[in-house]
Amino acid sequence: MEARDATAGAFVRREGDDETAKDQHKAPKREQTPTRSKMEQIFGFKKEDLTSWHSFVALLNRPTDPASLGIFRCLFGLLMVIDITQERGLSNLDYKYLDGAPVCRFPLFNFLQPLPLDWMYLVYVVMFLGASGIMLGCFYRLSCLMFLSTYWYIFFLDKTAWNNHSYLYGLIGFQLTLMDGNRYWSIDGLRRPSIRNAHVPLWNYTLLRAQIFIVYFIAGVKKLDADWVEGYSMSYLAHHWLFDPFKLILPVELVSLLVVHGGGLILDLTAGYLLFFDITRPYAFFFVSYFHCMNSQLFSIGMFPYAMLATSPLFCYPDWPRNFFAHFPSFLRPVLPLTSPGSQPSPSCVYEEIQGSGTQQRQTPAAAKSSKLRLKHKLGAIFTVLYLMEQFFLPYSHFITQGYNNWTNGLYGYSWDMMVHSRSHQHVKITYKDRKTGETGYLNPGVFTQSRRWKDHGDMLKQYATCLHQYLPRYNISDPEIYFDIWVSINERFQQRIFDPRVDIVSAEWSPFKPNKWLMPLLVDLSPWRTKFQEIEGSLDNQTEIVFIADFPGLHLENFVSEDLGNTSIQVLQGQVNVEIVEEKKNYTLQPGEQIKVAAGAYHKVYTVSEGPSCYMYVYVNTTEAALQKNFTKLYEIQERVRNGTETEPLPPELQPLMAADDDEGSEVNATDPIVRLFLKRQRRMKLVKKRREAGMLERLQRFAVKKYYTIRRGILMTAIAMRNLAVGLPPLEQLTREVAYANMKEPQAEASQDERLKDEVGHAEL
């Protein structure tokens, strides 16, 4: 038997190489296979394959085992079936597309609008059936088209849900539509024996492998950004429990710099190369599997880690499923993929002329001997080249779509700049002005919308302002002007304005192909201050908070200090500011190093009067929280003394519930004193969090399964209600209410919702 190619680049062996040992024993002895060149051993093709268009097309259409592609098709379809109920939002579709609700939406093209709710459920049913058909390989082309058309419709309908992996799903669905993914382990193969276990052209694998390589490599190139290399993009991840083993030998700062950022950079840059070569593939499998399993715990990114795990075997030899499933017991063979070696010829491939006689000729049908290039072969090669060129170009095409550029380039989703930027929003103010009456007022940030991503994207802000302009006349606000004052910190920089607060966004000009004139520049010259931020924050006690602000000349910040925040002061770091105390009608000019205290429960304004940007910081203490924590500490000490029997004084009636706290864990907290009641509630919730964290694997899996069951259950029931409505019309309101209430039924012990409520009190529960 001819030795395998040294890398997965070979993709395919000669027809005779797939014989079993038994077949070899029966067959006449063949001539020894000629020694292949070093290039062919490494890359799987010869230099001559690239010397002409004819040979290049023949290379891309080389017959290849369909097994690996068939397994990937099945896994991808399965993951998409699960994804539809999860990240695509089938289970909460009625919340997103409720008929008649005044909601501002953010489609890629403004003419795209959601269908009525029941019809949206039908769209999801079509997408679900398409994904199921892909998984089963049943009516494969039709299933791909069903999935692809509905998926991209949902995708284009809401830019706020865009991310890189959702974009990747759509790309893979598009690629599978053009591939022969139903040649192995498919219902179509059972229906049509002529395509069962038939060869697929090499470009099917080339396209998928190159796509995954691009995802890894471009993500690594984007991580060469200075913020990532210096450890500012995802510094908070180092506090996650997943990195505890590294913290045994390294401080948190180095875990963030070397493991989170350095490790992520190196893995993305090298994963595609390591997966390609035989000698490095086992190591690549280990590291990328570990990486994606960690991501599944670090981020809420749905099926993406599992989808990437499913792509890794594509880099192995295409016949690996045959070898893998051959080790299963024989009684499972009827339901498992084919394990017999060899595939039947396919007109989609280009075969080499085979010389010889006897057994070898009988194994290779005459149809396989033709090397004539057909139009479909040339189109497959052209498509492969053009598609890969487009995929390498798109992440750097932002000089064309300049209107979508903000502090980061382009619409987030097709640039593979995954997790390179982290943002925090400190202050968002929406001001409206009635053009007719001159009346000015403020809107609740996020009114009429379910998303928060409009804060960072000029195109979405324009859509949001236009939508508000349409809805506000319902509330007697005629022809309103809309102004946004949004303060953002990106990668731990100063909080600063991202858009000009003096511009009426309704009437502002915006074009997809022109720079956004009302976008404020990112103050990158102030980035070195981040090192100083760490020093300042390190010098503060645990109760003192700090916010760093940078502003532009001629602008001012109007701020209200909550009554909970005592001992609040403003200290200037750079530039010159004028602080106006509104109630006192007094102004104070501050130079670098100077500070002033501002009263709680009152407004003040900070004007930047220097020629360049000003930098200052708010330093404050949450006195209400500090007092509450002090009371909690006292209550905890009393409770401990009661438990160990060292409390000599009788407890007053309002503290009696402290004694029964351990005995009545399942009952409602019954305390008259509000502080005692809050203390007991927080204590009980902390115990619940600890119990959930220390739960065994079986309990965690059970909890996960129950949660997913009720999520999927709701999606199925709501879909059934919608299909019934389309078929026979709406039932009486009372019946519809009962049906929706039944679909909304939660698990008996609603621990999940309790755990969500803990996040604000416990801090980052998982971080």
Side-chain angles (χ1 to χ4, degrees), residues 677-744:
R677 183 165 60 251
L678 184 59
F679 170 75
L680 293 176
K681 284 184 177 180
R682 178 176 291 194
Q683 193 176 54
R684 182 168 298 180
R685 292 174 180 176
M686 292 290 289
K687 289 180 180 179
L688 179 60
V689 170
K690 183 178 179 181
K691 178 182 177 181
R692 290 168 62 85
R693 286 181 178 177
E694 296 176 352
M697 182 61 66
L698 184 61
E699 183 179 348
R700 288 172 181 261
L701 288 175
Q702 181 183 4
R703 191 167 61 226
F704 173 82
V706 169
K707 181 179 178 181
K708 294 303 178 184
Y709 164 75
Y710 280 96
T711 300
I712 296 173
R713 173 185 178 274
R714 187 181 192 278
I716 294 174
L717 291 176
M718 293 298 296
T719 302
I721 293 172
M723 295 303 98
R724 188 274 318 279
N725 294 344
L726 290 176
V728 300
L730 287 171
L733 182 59
E734 296 78 8
Q735 177 184 342
L736 188 60
T737 302
R738 289 195 304 269
E739 292 172 347
V740 174
Y742 179 70
N744 288 335

Side-chain angles (χ1 to χ4, degrees), residues 337-353:
L338 289 173
T339 58
S340 57
S343 302
Q344 64 173 321
S346 168
S348 298
C349 304
V350 176
Y351 293 83
E352 295 181 6
E353 292 283 356

Side-chain angles (χ1 to χ4, degrees), residues 523-717:
L523 297 173
V524 292
D525 293 341
L526 302 178
S527 297
W529 274 96
R530 290 180 291 190
T531 304
K532 186 66 175 178
F533 294 168
Q534 297 174 353
E535 298 176 2
I536 296 174
E537 292 171 342
S539 65
L540 302 176
D541 56 51
N542 293 332
Q543 296 181 343
T544 304
E545 301 289 341
I546 193 167
V547 178
F548 298 97
I549 304 292
D551 204 1
F552 296 91
L555 297 179
H556 72 276
L557 168 64
E558 182 180 13
N559 204 0
F560 176 82
V561 180
S562 171
E563 295 180 354
D564 294 329
L565 306 181
N567 196 26
T568 300
S569 64
I570 301 174
Q571 181 174 338
V572 178
L573 302 173
Q574 177 179 308
Q576 182 177 345
V577 301
N578 193 325
V579 179
E580 176 187 352
I581 309 300
V582 177
E583 290 186 357
E584 299 179 3
K585 297 182 180 180
K586 293 183 178 179
N587 293 281
Y588 302 89
T589 301
L590 301 180
Q591 302 289 343
E594 298 180 343
Q595 62 179 352
I596 184 175
K597 288 189 176 182
V598 290
Y603 280 96
H604 65 272
K605 297 179 182 180
V606 183
Y607 296 85
T608 297
V609 295
S610 54
E611 294 183 358
S614 66
C615 307
Y616 52 94
M617 60 182 180
Y618 281 92
V619 183
Y620 60 92
V621 176
N622 191 327
T623 51
T624 302
E625 178 66 19
L628 190 62
Q629 290 294 341
K630 186 176 181 180
N631 288 327
F632 282 176
T633 302
K634 291 181 179 179
L635 291 175
Y636 179 77
E637 293 173 352
I638 294 174
Q639 191 179 56
E640 286 297 305
R641 291 198 299 268
V642 170
R643 287 174 179 171
N644 57 35
T646 59
E647 179 63 42
T648 58
E649 299 293 332
L651 295 180
E654 63 270 16
L655 298 183
Q656 291 292 330
L658 294 175
M659 301 176 62
D662 294 332
D663 300 331
D664 302 327
E665 289 191 8
S667 61
E668 291 292 328
V669 175
N670 186 16
T672 57
D673 187 278
I675 295 180
V676 175
R677 183 165 60 251
L678 184 59
F679 170 75
L680 293 176
K681 284 184 177 180
R682 178 176 291 194
Q683 193 176 54
R684 182 168 298 180
R685 292 174 180 176
M686 292 290 289
K687 289 180 180 179
L688 179 60
V689 170
K690 183 178 179 181
K691 178 182 177 181
R692 290 168 62 85
R693 286 181 178 177
E694 296 176 352
M697 182 61 66
L698 184 61
E699 183 179 348
R700 288 172 181 261
L701 288 175
Q702 181 183 4
R703 191 167 61 226
F704 173 82
V706 169
K707 181 179 178 181
K708 294 303 178 184
Y709 164 75
Y710 280 96
T711 300
I712 296 173
R713 173 185 178 274
R714 187 181 192 278
I716 294 174
L717 291 176

Side-chain angles (χ1 to χ4, degrees), residues 220-278:
V221 172
K222 294 299 182 77
K223 286 181 174 61
L224 292 173
D225 180 82
D227 285 356
W228 183 277
V229 174
E230 295 174 11
Y232 290 109
S233 296
M234 292 283 127
S235 59
Y236 66 89
L237 288 183
H239 298 278
H240 197 281
W241 62 267
L242 281 171
F243 295 96
D244 286 350
F246 299 101
K247 285 180 277 189
L248 296 176
I249 56 176
L250 293 173
V252 174
E253 294 77 11
L254 287 182
V255 170
S256 174
L257 181 62
L258 300 180
V259 180
V260 176
H261 293 89
L265 171 64
I266 294 173
L267 186 137
D268 280 337
L269 283 176
T270 60
Y273 296 102
L274 298 179
L275 285 168
F276 184 81
F277 296 102
D278 282 359

